[in-house]
Amino acid sequence: MDLSQGPCLTTLVVFENTINKELIRSLHVYRLENGEENEVEREFVFRKDGPYVETAAAPLLLLQGVPAHELFEGRVIGLWLCSFAFHAHRLPRFFFIPSLLSISRNPKLKSIPTLANDLQLIFQRGCGTEDRGPSRELSKETCTRDGDNHYHLKRSLLVLDQDLNCLPNSGANSELLKSRQTEQNATGVAVKKKKRADSKDVARIALEDLAKYFDLPIVEASRNLNVGLTVLKRKCREFGIPRWPHRKIKSLDGLIRDLQEEAEQRQQDEAAAYAVAKRRMMLETEKESIEKEPFIELKSETKRFRQDIFKRRHKARALKH
């Protein structure tokens, strides 16, 4: 396809709904021949048990007033989480393309050509080559415009189906890593390095697997899951988790412990003991909700209660001194 003729795709941003995973929104920006930009927002239903369909929908992302070139992966707008962002004017040397948006790995995309055609432009291997298989390295063409309104092709490198625990484009690097699996230490004893999980194992990680380690810092969780920190953060974005919920859960655990101690001290006062027990149940329910839906923020009432606890502790320390 000759990108120097007709509209040129300069930006494609895809959002997933954090409540209904089947709802997908995309924002397309095309540069026209006269140099102006045309922004188009679309909504799709990615049915698990049927074909994908495009639905008529009023623009939501455009109404937020955020310029398309400022959107990035992990950005949250209301109930929408950005899962893929392509900007022709600032391409990284390598970037990861989700399996959900790869035509070779998700053929159901062909049922929605308005999105599939633009994805195909991004995935194509140079002029006229389609995304036919899970190739390791794909060249990508984008168009740029100079001061004389002439369009030029610019080629950069994309990586698909790569092992996220290894460096991209690592044909030689993988051989080097294999050769270093066993090394000799100072005493001449062979030392085996810990093997990271491959891409298939990473793909099998479910939200329930992550939830087991929400009470741990993200570094410790990545060790227990046997994946790299970057891979774990990427999995979090796939599940709509903008931030690892360890701090929120740790804060709730601390408040629950404080209330338990307070309940033991107020056993003789039935009214006070009941109020403490009621608040404790509310905090435990909130903790369970966050473990199930980790993108949820702490309730404003909980934040106020936590602030009151901090103030009481500060006053108590001040009186001791």
Side-chain angles (χ1 to χ4, degrees), residues 182-192:
T182 58
E183 294 182 348
Q184 297 292 331
N185 61 9
T187 59
V189 179
V191 178
K192 283 191 176 182

Side-chain angles (χ1 to χ4, degrees), residues 110-134:
K110 295 178 181 179
S111 61
I112 45 173
T114 51
L115 177 61
N117 290 343
D118 284 349
L119 289 171
Q120 186 63 51
L121 288 176
I122 298 175
F123 297 161
Q124 65 183 194
R125 309 179 192 177
C127 293
T129 305
E130 297 179 353
D131 174 31
R132 293 173 182 167

Side-chain angles (χ1 to χ4, degrees), residues 4 36 51 68 101 105 124 130 144 164 195 217 235 257 278 294 312 320:
S4 63
E36 296 181 355
L101 301 179
R105 288 174 283 173
Q124 65 183 194
E130 297 179 353
T144 58
L164 301 179
K195 185 179 179 182
K235 291 297 294 185
R257 282 196 302 270
K278 183 178 179 181
R312 271 188 266 167
K320 287 182 180 180

Side-chain angles (χ1 to χ4, degrees), residues 102-105 125 130-136 138 160-161:
S102 172
I103 299 175
S104 63
R105 288 174 283 173
R125 309 179 192 177
E130 297 179 353
D131 174 31
R132 293 173 182 167
S135 174
R136 286 283 178 181
L138 299 181
L160 299 181
D161 269 357

Side-chain angles (χ1 to χ4, degrees), residues 46-65:
F46 280 31
R47 295 171 178 165
K48 294 181 179 179
D49 302 325
Y52 295 169
V53 294
E54 181 174 357
T55 61
L60 292 177
L61 305 175
L62 291 174
L63 294 178
Q64 299 298 320

Side-chain angles (χ1 to χ4, degrees), residues 225-244:
L225 289 167
N226 197 31
V227 297
L229 185 59
T230 303
V231 177
L232 179 54
K233 289 181 179 179
R234 186 176 289 119
K235 291 297 294 185
C236 288
R237 290 199 296 269
E238 289 180 12
F239 292 121
I241 306 173
R243 295 187 64 183
W244 187 252

Side-chain angles (χ1 to χ4, degrees), residues 13-19 23 25-27 41 43 59-85 87 240 242 295:
V13 189
V14 180
F15 283 79
E16 298 179 5
N17 191 288
T18 56
I19 303 299
L23 290 181
R25 271 189 179 261
S26 62
L27 180 59
E41 184 173 341
E43 182 170 301
L60 292 177
L61 305 175
L62 291 174
L63 294 178
Q64 299 298 320
V66 181
H69 65 271
E70 294 183 4
L71 297 172
F72 52 88
E73 293 181 16
R75 177 71 183 269
V76 178
I77 299 180
L79 298 177
W80 299 91
L81 171 71
C82 180
S83 60
F84 177 74
H87 301 288
F295 53 83

